[in-house]
Amino acid sequence: MSASAALQIALIAALRANVGVTALLGQKIWDNAPRDAVEPYLTLGPSQELDDSAECLDGVECFQQIDIWTQEDGSQMSAKEICGAVRKALHGADLSLADPYGLVLIEVESSRVTGDPDEKIAHGIVTVRAMVEEA
């Protein structure tokens, strides 16, 4: 398993366990949404791993995009509200990662909301940065 895979599992678990997020999404929090998914829902987007090793430590800097999808005739309000709930749930969170990985730090670096080619959809994008050590 890679550091980003361990982070992905922990992120989904943390978001599904967070009352603020589930109040807005229920359990519609997925790696990849099913074909019949109905908005609002959250999926994981692109991720990236960068080596952050030092002399006596194996470390990885992980970036994960989290995508929020809402449909309210193009209004961005719900997407912004969900982005805020995701930030509160994850920024500085104490997540447990699968062995042999340990979370050193997690930050929400940014969030933004944009339109979609389907004008009834709003797309929220939250970018998470995590520092992960390998034991």
Side-chain angles (χ1 to χ4, degrees), residues 48-69:
Q48 180 180 17
E49 281 189 21
L50 300 174
D51 182 56
D52 193 40
S53 297
E55 187 174 311
C56 59
L57 144 74
D58 287 330
V60 178
E61 185 175 21
C62 297
F63 293 88
Q64 178 66 60
Q65 178 175 307
I66 298 171
D67 295 306
I68 291 99
W69 305 95

Side-chain angles (χ1 to χ4, degrees), residues 18-130:
N18 183 274
V19 176
V21 174
T22 59
L24 300 169
L25 294 172
Q27 291 294 308
K28 296 187 291 183
I29 299 164
W30 300 297
D31 172 18
N32 190 28
R35 290 188 189 271
D36 59 350
V38 176
E39 294 85 1
Y41 62 86
L42 180 152
T43 58
L44 296 184
S47 65
Q48 180 180 17
E49 281 189 21
L50 300 174
D51 182 56
D52 193 40
S53 297
E55 187 174 311
C56 59
L57 144 74
D58 287 330
V60 178
E61 185 175 21
C62 297
F63 293 88
Q64 178 66 60
Q65 178 175 307
I66 298 171
D67 295 306
I68 291 99
W69 305 95
T70 63
Q71 183 174 0
E72 293 183 326
D73 291 326
S75 172
Q76 297 181 354
M77 291 303 292
S78 289
K80 289 177 181 180
E81 186 176 7
I82 297 166
C83 285
V86 168
R87 182 186 192 292
K88 284 182 182 179
L90 297 179
H91 192 77
D94 184 19
L95 304 181
S96 293
L97 303 184
D99 285 337
Y101 300 104
L103 182 68
V104 176
L105 164 76
I106 186 166
E107 300 175 321
V108 173
E109 285 212 320
S110 67
S111 65
R112 64 188 173 108
V113 177
T114 184
D116 189 76
D118 178 342
E119 294 177 3
K120 294 182 179 184
I121 303 287
H123 180 191
I125 302 165
V126 176
T127 303
V128 173
R129 174 181 165 258

